Amino acid sequence: MRSVGRDHIVIPEGKQLINFNKMAALNSSAAYLWEKVVDKDFTVEDLTALLVEKYEIDEQRAKEDAEKLVASLQEAGIIE
């Protein structure tokens, strides 16, 4: 993850780096999650728990946000 001003950008490493269509812009809460799980195995449930703990939001909302983040990172080829 790289910060550009107040934006946070994640791009895949290796050969995929050449394709700049394969990147994800993260808001501050997604960047927080990325920092907590980078280089670790994680689940949507792990991300949900982190969001609930940090932002004190209800679990359903946190799960929906975590699922959206995972889908976005998968679509960009950043995670499998």
Side-chain angles (χ1 to χ4, degrees):
M1 180 172 65
R2 300 286 184 252
S3 295
V4 181
R6 291 193 289 173
D7 296 325
H8 309 283
I9 308 296
V10 177
I11 54 176
E13 295 179 327
K15 293 180 201 175
Q16 295 178 359
L17 179 62
I18 297 168
N19 184 352
F20 289 105
N21 292 327
K22 299 289 186 179
M23 65 174 66
L26 307 179
N27 62 24
S28 60
S29 59
Y32 163 76
L33 292 175
W34 181 260
E35 289 174 345
K36 290 291 191 182
V37 300
V38 69
D39 296 326
K40 298 177 186 173
D41 290 334
F42 63 90
T43 65
V44 168
E45 290 76 20
D46 296 330
L47 299 180
T48 299
L50 287 166
L51 286 172
V52 169
E53 179 182 322
K54 171 82 173 170
Y55 297 102
E56 299 178 5
I57 60 175
D58 69 88
E59 191 169 335
Q60 182 60 38
R61 169 72 189 271
K63 183 177 180 183
E64 290 170 4
D65 290 349
E67 289 171 340
K68 288 177 188 174
L69 175 61
V70 168
S72 175
L73 294 173
Q74 287 173 328
E75 184 178 318
I78 295 168
I79 63 171
E80 296 179 355

